[in-house]
Short mmCIF file of all heavy atoms in Angstrom, two decimals:
data_model
loop_
_atom_site.label_atom_id
_atom_site.label_comp_id
_atom_site.label_asym_id
_atom_site.label_seq_id
_atom_site.Cartn_x
_atom_site.Cartn_y
_atom_site.Cartn_z
N GLY A 25 -3.09 -15.94 1.77
CA GLY A 25 -4.18 -15.12 2.27
C GLY A 25 -4.29 -15.16 3.77
O GLY A 25 -4.47 -14.14 4.43
N ALA A 26 -4.16 -16.35 4.33
CA ALA A 26 -4.29 -16.49 5.78
C ALA A 26 -3.19 -15.78 6.52
O ALA A 26 -3.38 -15.28 7.62
CB ALA A 26 -4.27 -17.98 6.15
N ALA A 27 -2.01 -15.73 5.89
CA ALA A 27 -0.86 -15.15 6.58
C ALA A 27 -0.56 -13.73 6.17
O ALA A 27 0.39 -13.13 6.66
CB ALA A 27 0.38 -16.01 6.31
N ALA A 28 -1.39 -13.18 5.29
CA ALA A 28 -1.06 -11.87 4.72
C ALA A 28 -0.81 -10.81 5.78
O ALA A 28 0.04 -9.96 5.62
CB ALA A 28 -2.20 -11.42 3.80
N PHE A 29 -1.57 -10.88 6.87
CA PHE A 29 -1.39 -9.89 7.91
C PHE A 29 -0.97 -10.50 9.24
O PHE A 29 -0.90 -9.83 10.24
CB PHE A 29 -2.68 -9.09 8.12
CG PHE A 29 -3.03 -8.23 6.96
CD1 PHE A 29 -3.85 -8.70 5.96
CD2 PHE A 29 -2.51 -6.95 6.83
CE1 PHE A 29 -4.17 -7.91 4.88
CE2 PHE A 29 -2.82 -6.16 5.75
CZ PHE A 29 -3.66 -6.64 4.78
N ALA A 30 -0.70 -11.80 9.22
CA ALA A 30 -0.38 -12.48 10.47
C ALA A 30 0.88 -11.94 11.11
O ALA A 30 1.04 -11.99 12.32
CB ALA A 30 -0.24 -13.97 10.23
N GLY A 31 1.77 -11.41 10.29
CA GLY A 31 3.03 -10.90 10.84
C GLY A 31 2.99 -9.45 11.24
O GLY A 31 4.03 -8.87 11.49
N CYS A 32 1.80 -8.86 11.29
CA CYS A 32 1.71 -7.42 11.52
C CYS A 32 1.51 -7.05 12.97
O CYS A 32 1.24 -5.90 13.29
CB CYS A 32 0.56 -6.85 10.68
SG CYS A 32 0.84 -7.01 8.91
N SER A 33 1.57 -8.02 13.86
CA SER A 33 1.38 -7.72 15.27
C SER A 33 2.37 -6.68 15.75
O SER A 33 3.56 -6.77 15.53
CB SER A 33 1.55 -9.00 16.10
OG SER A 33 1.41 -8.73 17.46
N GLY A 34 1.85 -5.65 16.39
CA GLY A 34 2.71 -4.60 16.91
C GLY A 34 2.82 -3.41 15.99
O GLY A 34 3.22 -2.35 16.39
N ASP A 35 2.45 -3.58 14.73
CA ASP A 35 2.50 -2.49 13.76
C ASP A 35 1.26 -2.55 12.91
O ASP A 35 0.84 -3.61 12.48
CB ASP A 35 3.70 -2.65 12.82
CG ASP A 35 4.90 -1.84 13.28
OD1 ASP A 35 4.68 -0.89 14.05
OD2 ASP A 35 6.02 -2.17 12.87
N THR A 36 0.66 -1.40 12.64
CA THR A 36 -0.38 -1.36 11.62
C THR A 36 0.31 -1.49 10.28
O THR A 36 1.30 -0.83 10.03
CB THR A 36 -1.15 -0.04 11.69
OG1 THR A 36 -1.62 0.12 13.03
CG2 THR A 36 -2.33 -0.06 10.75
N PRO A 37 -0.20 -2.34 9.37
CA PRO A 37 0.47 -2.53 8.08
C PRO A 37 0.64 -1.23 7.34
O PRO A 37 -0.19 -0.33 7.40
CB PRO A 37 -0.48 -3.48 7.33
CG PRO A 37 -1.20 -4.20 8.40
CD PRO A 37 -1.35 -3.20 9.51
N GLU A 38 1.73 -1.15 6.59
CA GLU A 38 2.03 0.03 5.78
C GLU A 38 1.09 0.09 4.59
O GLU A 38 0.56 -0.92 4.15
CB GLU A 38 3.48 -0.03 5.31
CG GLU A 38 3.96 1.22 4.60
CD GLU A 38 3.78 2.47 5.45
OE1 GLU A 38 4.13 2.46 6.62
OE2 GLU A 38 3.27 3.46 4.92
N GLU A 39 0.84 1.31 4.05
CA GLU A 39 0.01 1.42 2.87
C GLU A 39 0.58 0.60 1.74
O GLU A 39 1.78 0.47 1.59
CB GLU A 39 -0.13 2.88 2.41
CG GLU A 39 1.15 3.55 1.98
CD GLU A 39 1.81 4.23 3.14
OE1 GLU A 39 1.39 4.00 4.28
OE2 GLU A 39 2.75 4.99 2.91
N GLY A 40 -0.37 0.02 0.94
CA GLY A 40 0.07 -0.84 -0.13
C GLY A 40 0.00 -2.30 0.24
O GLY A 40 0.07 -3.15 -0.62
N THR A 41 -0.15 -2.62 1.53
CA THR A 41 -0.20 -4.00 1.94
C THR A 41 -1.41 -4.68 1.33
O THR A 41 -2.52 -4.22 1.42
CB THR A 41 -0.30 -4.10 3.47
OG1 THR A 41 0.82 -3.46 4.04
CG2 THR A 41 -0.34 -5.55 3.91
#
Side-chain angles (χ1 to χ4, degrees):
F29 293 92
C32 296
S33 179
D35 264 340
T36 306
E38 187 56 46
E39 63 270 12
T41 302

